[in-house]
Amino acid sequence: MRVVTVCGMGFGTSLMLLMEVQAIAKKHGFAVDGEAVDLGSAKGKDCDFMVASGEIASELDGESVEVVAIDNLLDKQEIEEKVMPVIRRIAETKGA
């Protein structure tokens, strides 16, 4: 499955989020490919879901995939609690 992580500039926060999502997924036995991008580049990206800060996520309301909003980007537990249900749901849908 593929995730796009989004921040204002496309590096730093989004790259940190991507690495954290991939680590969490791997811990639970899932492989997640991904890309860290800025808000302008995120719209219309081909992916299974997106992850962004709450502020950025509100800018992605029109996307065709689920957008996971993270309130505290440093809270690994929050990221895991919000991302893992999405990963499990997508894996079930895809039969992975």
Side-chain angles (χ1 to χ4, degrees):
M1 83 184 61
R2 181 168 171 77
V3 62
V4 168
T5 56
V6 187
C7 71
M9 299 297 288
F11 49 86
T13 302
S14 59
L15 185 57
M16 180 196 76
L17 264 176
L18 176 59
M19 293 169 56
E20 190 62 39
V21 168
Q22 288 177 319
I24 289 168
K26 184 176 181 180
K27 183 174 92 173
H28 291 274
F30 297 97
V32 174
D33 293 326
E35 184 179 359
V37 301
D38 65 278
L39 179 58
S41 301
K43 296 182 179 183
K45 280 279 185 187
D46 183 28
C47 63
D48 295 303
F49 67 106
M50 295 182 172
V51 182
S53 69
E55 293 175 7
I56 297 289
S58 66
E59 299 290 324
L60 297 167
D61 279 347
E63 293 301 309
S64 61
V65 296
E66 187 169 348
V67 178
V68 179
I70 305 297
D71 296 319
N72 182 351
L73 299 171
L74 300 177
D75 186 346
K76 293 180 180 185
Q77 184 174 351
E78 178 193 0
I79 297 170
E80 185 167 351
E81 287 174 358
K82 290 184 173 178
V83 167
M84 278 314 299
V86 176
I87 290 173
R88 286 190 178 104
R89 191 169 44 251
I90 291 169
E92 287 176 11
T93 302
K94 290 187 165 197

